[in-house]
Amino acid sequence: MTLLPVYDSRGSVSGWYEEDRLYSLQGNVIGWLRTDGVYSIGGNHVGWLERGHFWDSHGCVVAWTPEASGGPAKPGRAGLPGRPGKGGTPGRPGFSGRMGRPGLSSAWSNKNWSTYLR
């Protein structure tokens, strides 16, 4: 599979995703996707992936994919950096229970890609 870009509120690539894994700009696994749930590297539920947006626990958008629809107004996309080599995939953690889903907002989160996935 190919790493796909994740954009921030400024339109810059802030990370990557592929299948069930979320990556840093450097190609290290920093989180997981499980159904529509987003989990930290340690298995804590931190939000949702829906309609191409990564939503935080308050219903605000942290980042978005090229397939995103709806949500907050998006800037133009910056140039795509070279895709990094992927680091080894760590063992999957036990996943925590999911938090209650808030209503989805059209606002940007105050979190960035790396703080979202901690």
Side-chain angles (χ1 to χ4, degrees), residues 104-115:
L104 301 180
S105 169
S106 60
W108 290 104
S109 174
N110 61 358
K111 297 178 182 176
N112 65 36
W113 187 241
S114 60
T115 60

Side-chain angles (χ1 to χ4, degrees), residues 22 31-32 34 37-41 43-46 95-96 98 117:
L22 305 172
W32 306 96
R34 188 171 182 210
V38 178
Y39 293 83
S40 69
I41 191 69
N44 295 316
H45 185 247
V46 296
F95 291 103
S96 70
R98 292 167 58 124
L117 292 167

Side-chain angles (χ1 to χ4, degrees), residues 73-99:
K74 291 164 199 62
R77 289 187 256 175
L80 195 62
R83 286 176 172 82
K86 293 184 285 187
T89 300
R92 286 179 155 275
F95 291 103
S96 70
R98 292 167 58 124
M99 64 185 103

Side-chain angles (χ1 to χ4, degrees), residues 6-10 48-65 68-75 102-113 116:
V6 174
Y7 295 93
D8 63 19
S9 63
R10 298 179 325 266
W48 297 266
L49 174 61
E50 184 176 313
R51 297 189 324 247
H53 295 94
F54 290 90
W55 305 87
D56 69 13
S57 60
H58 302 289
C60 296
V61 174
V62 174
W64 51 284
T65 70
S69 65
K74 291 164 199 62
L104 301 180
S105 169
S106 60
W108 290 104
S109 174
N110 61 358
K111 297 178 182 176
N112 65 36
W113 187 241
Y116 174 58

